[in-house]
C-alpha cells in the first residue's frame, strides 16, 4: 500500500523540505507532484531497512518521549502515545494509532484505521513481524462487567501473527491474569478474542470466530466461519470446529465437532494428515476413538470405564498420540472444566 504526501503548495513544500532535511531523505521537489514511499525507496531511502532513518509524516502526532526505532515509517494522521515503543522497521499506515503503554516489536505493520493499546492501567506487548489489519482493535479494555478501571490489564502477542480487518482482541480483566496470543496465528476478519483467553501457536480462526472470556486454545486448531465458543472452554491441539458451531464444552485433541450445539463427529482426519501424522498413528487414533465413543457393546460400561480400557490396552499404550488424546479427554472432566462436547451414543439395548 502507498502513502502519499502532496507537495504542490508552497507551504506543503516547506513542511516536507524541513522534514526531509531532518531525516536525510531526498526532497524530490523539482516539480509539484505526489510523493510515495515507493519513490523514496527508488531514490535511495529504503524505509523497510532498520539501518535507515525513520520517516514521520508532518500530520502525525508523535511526542518526543515515544521511543521510535530505526527505519520506522509513520503515515498521515497517525498518533503515537508518549509511553509507546516502536521497534525497528515498523509501519503505521494512515490513520492508525498506538495508545497507552504499548510496545511493538520489529517489523510490525498497522493498516489504515488499526488501533493498538489503550489509555488504561496495564500494557499491551506485541512481538515482531505482526500484521494488524484495517480497523482492527487490539489491546483495548475488556468487556467484563467485573473489570474496574483502576485495575491493570494486559495483552501479550507473540510473533508472525496475521490479524485481519475488524478483529477485536481485548486485554485481561484483572491484574493477576493476561490475554495471550502465541506465534504464527491467522486470525481472519471480524473475529473476537475476549479477555483472559490463552491462544497457542499456528491456529487458524476463520471469519467471525468469537471466543468468549477465558477460552484456551492449544496449537494447530482450525475453526470454520461463524464459530462461537463459550467462556472457559478448552480447544485441544489439531482439532477442527465446523462452520456455525456453538461450542459450549471442551473439544479434546485431534477431534472434529460441528452442529448448532457442537457434537463430536469423529477425528480431524484431514488436519492430522496435513500436519504430518503417520498412517499408523491415525489408525490407532481412529481405533481408540471408536472404543471410547462408538462402542456398540451393551456391556461396555461407562465412558470412564471405556477410557480406562483404552489407556491400558496393549495396542495403544505405546502410541503417544493416543495417550495425548485420552489425557485430553480426562482433563476435560477435571474440576472447573466443562466436560467434552456431546457425542452420539451407539450402545444397543
Amino acid at each position: 500500500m502507498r502513502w502519499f504526501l502532496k507537495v504542490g503548495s508552497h507551504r506543503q513544500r516547506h513542511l516536507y523540505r524541513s522534514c526531509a532535511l531532518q531525516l536525510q531523505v531526498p526532497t524530490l521537489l523539482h516539480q509539484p507532484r505526489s510523493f510515495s514511499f515507493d519513490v523514496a525507496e527508488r531514490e535511495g531511502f529504503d524505509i523497510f531497512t532498520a539501518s535507515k532513518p525513520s520517516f514521520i509524516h508532518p500530520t502525525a502526532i508523535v511526542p518526543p518521549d515515544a521511543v521510535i526505532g530505526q527505519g520506522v515509517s509513520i503515515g498521515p494522521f497517525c498518533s503515537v502515545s508518549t509511553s509507546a515503543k516502536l521497534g525497528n522497521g515498523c509501519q503505521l499506515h494512515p490513520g492508525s494509532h498506538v495508545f497507552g503503554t504499548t510496545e511493538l516489536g520489529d517489523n510490525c505493520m498497522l493498516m489504515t484505521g488499526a488501533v493498538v493499546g489503550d489509555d488504561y492501567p496495564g500494557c499491551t506487548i506485541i512481538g515482531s513481524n505482526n500484521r494488524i489489519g484495517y480497523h482492527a482493535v487490539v489491546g483495548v479494555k475488556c468487556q467484563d462487567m467485573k473489570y474496574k478501571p483502576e485495575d491493570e490489564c494486559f495483552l501479550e502477542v507473540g510473533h508472525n501473527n496475521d490479524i485481519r480487518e475488524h478483529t477485536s482482541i481485548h486485554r485481561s480483566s484483572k491484574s493477576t491474569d493476561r490475554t495471550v496470543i502465541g506465534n504464527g496465528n491467522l486470525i481472519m476478519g471480524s473475529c473476537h478474542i475476549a479477555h483472559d483467553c490463552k491462544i497457542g501457536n499456528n491456529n487458524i480462526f476463520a471469519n467471525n470466530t468469537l471466543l468468549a472470556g477465558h477460552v484456551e486454545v492449544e496449537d494447530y486448531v482450525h475453526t470454520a466461519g461463524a464459530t462461537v465458543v463459550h467462556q472457559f472452554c478448552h480447544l485441544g491441539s489439531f482439532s477442527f470446529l465446523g462452520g456455525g458451531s456453538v461450542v459450549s464444552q471442551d473439544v479434546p485433541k485431534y477431534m472434529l465437532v460441528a452442529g448448532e450445539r457442537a457434537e463430536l463427529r469423529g477425528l480431524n482426519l484431514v488436519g492430522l494428515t496435513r500436519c504430518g501424522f503417520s498412517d499408523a498413528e491415525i489408525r490407532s487414533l481412529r481405533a481408540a476413538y471408536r472404543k471410547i465413543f462408538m462402542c456398540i457393546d451393551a456391556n461396555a460400561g461407562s465412558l470412564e470405564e471405556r477410557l480406562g480400557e483404552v489407556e491400558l490396552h496393549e495396542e495403544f499404550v505405546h502410541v503417544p498420540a493416543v495417550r495425548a488424546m485420552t489425557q485430553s479427554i480426562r482433563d476435560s472432566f477435571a474440576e472447573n472444566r466443562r466436560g467434552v462436547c456431546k457425542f452420539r451414543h451407539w450402545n444397543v439395548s
Side-chain angles (χ1 to χ4, degrees):
M1 176 167 180
R2 297 181 176 181
W3 303 340
F4 292 94
L5 169 62
K6 297 295 289 185
V7 294
S9 70
H10 174 75
R11 176 174 174 80
Q12 289 169 329
R13 288 197 298 271
H14 174 73
L15 285 172
Y16 182 68
R17 184 179 291 109
S18 300
C19 180
L21 288 174
Q22 293 174 10
L23 299 175
Q24 300 178 0
V25 183
T27 56
L28 308 179
L29 293 174
H30 302 297
Q31 56 184 353
R33 57 172 173 161
S34 296
F35 170 71
S36 76
F37 284 2
D38 292 343
V39 175
E41 185 173 1
R42 285 199 303 271
E43 302 200 16
F45 178 49
D46 182 3
I47 64 171
F48 305 108
T49 302
S51 61
K52 299 293 185 180
S54 296
F55 173 83
I56 301 176
H57 192 276
T59 62
I61 301 174
V62 182
D65 292 338
V67 179
I68 307 297
Q70 300 241 343
V72 171
S73 53
I74 301 178
F77 309 110
C78 296
S79 65
V80 177
S81 70
T82 301
S83 54
K85 296 181 180 179
L86 275 58
N88 297 329
C90 286
Q91 301 176 53
L92 273 61
H93 285 236
S96 57
H97 306 278
V98 179
F99 293 132
T101 303
T102 299
E103 181 176 338
L104 297 181
D106 294 342
N107 302 309
C108 287
M109 180 185 295
L110 274 60
M111 306 305 292
T112 296
V115 175
V116 178
D118 208 338
D119 290 319
Y120 280 84
C123 64
T124 298
I125 299 177
I126 310 291
S128 301
N129 301 307
N130 291 293
R131 178 188 176 99
I132 299 177
Y134 300 94
H135 303 283
V137 180
V138 177
V140 298
K141 183 181 74 170
C142 68
Q143 297 176 155
D144 188 346
M145 297 297 292
K146 298 186 294 297
Y147 171 76
K148 298 179 177 57
E150 64 272 15
D151 289 346
E152 291 186 314
C153 50
F154 304 96
L155 168 67
E156 296 178 1
V157 178
H159 311 296
N160 304 307
N161 296 287
D162 190 359
I163 301 170
R164 297 302 299 269
E165 56 275 6
H166 300 286
T167 289
S168 58
I169 302 176
H170 291 173
R171 290 191 197 174
S172 63
S173 60
K174 51 189 177 182
S175 59
T176 56
D177 208 339
R178 60 198 61 234
T179 305
V180 178
I181 311 291
N183 305 317
N185 297 289
L186 171 57
I187 304 173
M188 298 186 192
S190 302
C191 289
H192 174 64
I193 299 176
H195 59 89
D196 306 297
C197 285
K198 304 292 186 295
I199 310 300
N201 306 316
N202 302 302
N203 299 293
I204 300 175
F205 300 153
N207 299 69
N208 296 293
T209 292
L210 309 178
L211 306 184
H214 303 277
V215 168
E216 295 193 18
V217 182
E218 296 180 6
D219 302 331
Y220 295 97
V221 175
H222 191 168
T223 71
T227 299
V228 179
V229 182
H230 191 280
Q231 60 188 10
F232 292 102
C233 284
H234 286 59
L235 308 181
S237 297
F238 303 99
S239 59
F240 181 89
L241 282 59
S245 299
V246 178
V247 179
S248 57
Q249 291 178 286
D250 292 357
V251 181
K253 291 179 185 289
Y254 314 130
M255 296 190 186
L256 183 151
V257 299
E260 190 273 330
R261 281 293 183 267
E263 298 180 351
L264 297 181
R265 301 295 177 89
L267 295 175
N268 179 21
L269 298 177
V270 174
L272 294 175
T273 302
R274 288 176 176 174
C275 290
F277 282 72
S278 67
D279 291 342
E281 287 177 307
I282 292 176
R283 283 196 298 269
S284 295
L285 286 169
R286 294 184 72 176
Y289 181 92
R290 290 193 188 100
K291 287 182 179 294
I292 297 169
F293 296 112
M294 300 177 63
C295 184
I296 60 174
D297 185 354
N299 301 316
S302 65
L303 176 64
E304 170 71 24
E305 293 170 334
R306 299 196 299 271
L307 189 59
E309 291 177 5
V310 168
E311 290 173 326
L312 299 175
H313 198 287
E314 61 181 8
E315 180 183 352
F316 309 123
V317 71
H318 299 299
V319 183
V322 174
R323 295 203 306 270
M325 182 179 73
T326 56
Q327 186 61 52
S328 179
I329 297 170
R330 283 203 177 277
D331 291 343
S332 295
F333 292 100
E335 187 178 1
N336 299 322
R337 294 283 292 269
R338 298 187 58 81
V340 300
C341 287
K342 299 188 184 306
F343 57 92
R344 184 178 299 176
H345 292 271
W346 294 86
N347 287 13
V348 295
S349 58

